[in-house]
Amino acid sequence: MAENQKCTFRTSIGGQALIEGILMRGPEKQAIVVRDQEGNLVEKVEELRFIKDRYPILGVPLIRGTVNFLDSMINGVKALMYSADFYPEEEAAQPSKFEQWLEKHLSSKKLEGAVITLAVALGVGMSIFLFMILPTLLTGGILHFFPGFPMWGRNLVEGLLKIVIFLLYLIFCSKQKDIYRVFQYHGAEHKTIFCYEAGLPLTVENVRLQTRHHPRCGTSFLFVVICVSILISSVVFGIWPITNAWLRAAAHLILLPLVVGITYEFNRWVGRHAQENLIAKILTAPGMWMQNFTTNEPDDSMIACAIRSLELVLPSEKGKDAW
């Protein structure tokens, strides 16, 4: 059987690698499948409720990108916490006074909500700092010694630093032993979705033959966010030249919802056309290449986990998940 079969259609189903498991999200349900320490698959399925159904304006193009990004972050953190419960640390550390205070004054549900909110805020904040604020501050520091440096050159240096920092971050993560297996599950998720899109039976043998690089991957999404940020900021700073590093950083934050919104729409387009459209293939090539750092070849047990998680979110009506 040939690798990289032509897709019969594009699915909207997407996933996320967890600790010894996978989260799959379909049009009606999301499923978490984790392999516990005894080797058994533990399943958790939830019906989905979309905020755009209550507030239709949040489903409008450009706006829905930021909404869906935050929603995926929240659900991703919840799923990670759930999977981590199956692999507790061998020696639990004594809770700090702050942790004891939280447990005393907050219910378990409120405490979980507070932890998730903090984790999402830290995750988003760290990403913004590393890939947007830090390159701006570094560029400002370097070019402080070159006061006559042209604006187009400043934009170029800042953009290159964003890409370099992002690439170094991916390389650093890929070298961590604890992350290696998570990235194997990431590869299993991609392979399983490709197998399903190719119209092949969901078997370990069929999934194993698929590629582990998918155009709708979160790695590609983040890379495109950076590229779109570079393009938009170059236009904005070309019209309104800003050299102060802190003002430029503030401008990046203001522009971020627009950047995420454009990236989301781009991601939808390439997800639909990346297999047959030459322009889409060229535009997605850098992000696909970077998935070499965030996906690894899975073993058969990981593939079986991915298959089960996908099966649990298949829609009741065939074709309802079409992209």
Side-chain angles (χ1 to χ4, degrees):
M1 188 177 297
E3 186 179 331
N4 301 339
Q5 296 266 351
K6 280 288 184 182
C7 295
T8 58
F9 82 112
R10 308 291 183 270
T11 181
S12 61
I13 296 174
Q16 174 185 322
L18 306 173
I19 300 171
E20 298 300 327
I22 288 179
L23 161 71
M24 283 285 187
R25 190 175 174 92
E28 301 169 336
K29 297 174 289 186
Q30 74 171 24
I32 300 172
V33 178
V34 178
R35 192 172 294 279
D36 64 19
Q37 297 186 59
E38 284 73 42
N40 302 313
L41 291 180
V42 181
E43 303 170 0
K44 180 182 180 183
V45 183
E46 298 176 335
E47 297 290 331
L48 290 177
R49 296 179 180 177
F50 299 100
I51 191 171
K52 66 180 182 180
D53 294 335
R54 285 184 292 164
Y55 307 101
I57 192 173
L58 298 182
V60 173
L62 295 183
I63 295 177
R64 63 186 176 186
T66 301
V67 174
N68 289 338
F69 175 75
L70 291 175
D71 182 64
S72 65
M73 283 285 292
I74 293 170
N75 280 285
V77 170
K78 287 181 179 178
L80 275 172
M81 291 174 60
Y82 176 80
S83 66
D85 287 341
F86 292 92
Y87 292 86
E89 296 181 9
E90 294 183 3
E91 295 183 5
Q94 184 68 22
S96 65
K97 291 183 178 180
F98 177 66
E99 291 172 329
Q100 294 175 14
W101 182 90
L102 287 176
E103 292 177 358
K104 182 179 179 181
H105 291 83
L106 295 177
S107 65
S108 58
K109 188 173 182 179
K110 287 184 178 179
L111 180 58
E112 180 184 2
V115 171
I116 291 171
T117 300
L118 179 61
V120 171
L122 289 175
V124 174
M126 187 185 75
S127 299
I128 292 174
F129 175 77
L130 277 179
F131 309 134
M132 293 194 174
I133 307 301
L134 181 59
T136 301
L137 297 181
L138 287 176
T139 302
I142 294 170
L143 298 186
H144 175 74
F145 302 99
F146 304 92
F149 208 76
M151 181 57 63
W152 68 265
R154 179 181 291 269
N155 293 335
L156 177 62
V157 171
E158 188 176 299
L160 289 175
L161 280 176
K162 287 180 180 180
I163 294 174
V164 168
I165 290 174
F166 181 64
L167 184 58
L168 290 175
Y169 174 79
L170 293 184
I171 295 173
F172 172 78
C173 289
S174 68
K175 299 299 181 182
Q176 305 305 302
K177 290 183 179 179
D178 294 341
I179 302 297
Y180 187 86
R181 285 186 65 83
V182 175
F183 286 171
Q184 283 183 288
Y185 276 99
H186 192 190
E189 174 229 324
H190 286 184
K191 283 173 169 282
T192 304
I193 290 177
F194 264 128
C195 184
Y196 172 62
E197 289 183 325
L200 299 172
L202 291 175
T203 64
V204 172
E205 292 73 20
N206 286 339
V207 171
R208 192 190 301 124
L209 296 174
Q210 306 305 312
T211 178
R212 70 178 198 267
H213 305 96
H214 200 285
R216 288 191 291 110
C217 175
T219 304
S220 297
F221 180 84
L222 288 176
F223 177 70
V224 176
V225 165
I226 292 172
C227 293
V228 172
S229 171
I230 293 171
L231 293 174
I232 291 180
S233 61
S234 296
V235 172
V236 171
F237 296 142
I239 298 173
W240 296 288
I242 301 174
T243 56
N244 182 279
W246 292 105
L247 290 178
R248 285 176 70 95
H252 283 306
L253 290 177
I254 294 171
L255 293 170
L256 186 57
L258 176 62
V259 170
V260 173
I262 292 174
T263 303
Y264 180 80
E265 302 305 325
F266 172 82
N267 213 38
R268 286 179 62 87
W269 181 77
V270 298
R272 191 177 294 115
H273 300 288
Q275 294 294 318
E276 70 282 345
N277 187 292
L278 179 60
I279 295 176
K281 286 183 179 180
I282 294 172
L283 292 175
T284 57
M288 297 278 279
W289 176 80
M290 288 186 177
Q291 290 177 41
N292 286 308
F293 299 110
T294 61
T295 62
N296 294 318
E297 286 296 331
D299 61 32
D300 288 355
S301 67
M302 296 171 180
I303 292 175
C305 181
I307 290 173
R308 183 55 185 157
S309 62
L310 177 58
E311 289 174 339
L312 290 171
V313 302
L314 293 177
S316 54
E317 180 184 339
K318 186 175 181 180
K320 191 176 181 180
D321 60 316
W323 185 252

